[in-house]
Amino acid sequence: GSPDFNCDPLLYSLVFGESILNDAVSIVLFHTFLGEYTKKEVYSLYSLPKTLVDFSIVSFGSLTVGALIGLSCSFLFKHSNLKEYPKFEVSLLFLFAYGSYGFAESVDLSGVMALFFNGLILSHYNYHNLSSAGKITAEFMFSSMSSLSEFFVFL
């Protein structure tokens, strides 16, 4: 949780996670309806099931990509000696997170949704596989990047 809000960390995480998931679903819905709009066909009641299937494929595909890349990262960290090299450990962690976003976008899925589920998996399974220096470095690095991103979004 954020110390700025002085609230229960679980409540902060749930509200923040729910808002990010809402944003990701909105992006997927937008792309689904944009695809229907650009077809230049009349949208009818018979088009609705295909639209729902397209939305489901993108949503579950993004979830799968993020989860599988997160699990493969956790597996690599658990069964290797990366703890001995904290600099490479944190760099590889960042590249796996960015890789899930990039891969999902390259196959026309939602990179934001894939990154969200990748982050969930990594925070649950991979945190314990990091060295002490890696944990501290990753926490400060991602916290700083989060603050910078929020700064530029609300600038």
Side-chain angles (χ1 to χ4, degrees):
S2 176
D4 300 335
F5 296 122
N6 194 22
C7 67
D8 181 33
L10 178 62
L11 176 65
Y12 178 82
S13 296
L14 288 173
V15 170
F16 186 72
E18 189 265 340
S19 69
I20 290 197
L21 193 57
N22 280 347
D23 291 348
V25 168
S26 298
I27 291 169
V28 171
L29 277 173
F30 174 77
H31 284 290
T32 302
F33 288 130
L34 183 65
E36 292 295 325
Y37 177 75
T38 56
K39 287 182 182 175
K40 305 290 185 193
E41 296 175 5
V42 176
Y43 193 80
S44 66
L45 185 61
Y46 301 108
S47 304
L48 183 62
K50 182 178 180 334
T51 303
L52 291 174
V53 167
D54 289 346
F55 174 77
S56 299
I57 287 171
V58 171
S59 297
F60 290 115
S62 302
L63 184 152
T64 304
V65 164
L68 287 177
I69 291 176
L71 289 171
S72 62
C73 178
S74 298
F75 182 82
L76 176 73
F77 274 63
K78 185 173 185 170
H79 298 291
S80 68
N81 292 327
L82 282 171
K83 286 183 179 184
E84 297 172 11
Y85 309 100
K87 180 172 53 172
F88 298 121
E89 185 180 39
V90 175
S91 300
L92 199 57
L93 182 65
F94 176 78
L95 289 175
F96 266 97
Y98 184 70
S100 70
Y101 175 86
F103 180 77
E105 286 291 330
S106 71
V107 293
D108 292 328
L109 297 174
S110 171
V112 173
M113 195 175 278
L115 182 61
F116 176 73
F117 286 105
N118 182 280
L120 282 177
I121 296 292
L122 288 178
S123 69
H124 185 73
Y125 292 109
N126 200 47
Y127 182 76
H128 304 291
N129 297 330
L130 296 173
S131 64
S132 329
K135 288 178 185 176
I136 293 168
T137 305
E139 184 177 335
F140 282 114
M141 183 182 82
F142 287 119
S143 177
S144 298
M145 290 173 65
S146 169
S147 297
L148 276 174
S149 299
E150 286 179 14
F151 174 75
F152 285 116
V153 165
F154 296 110
L155 184 62

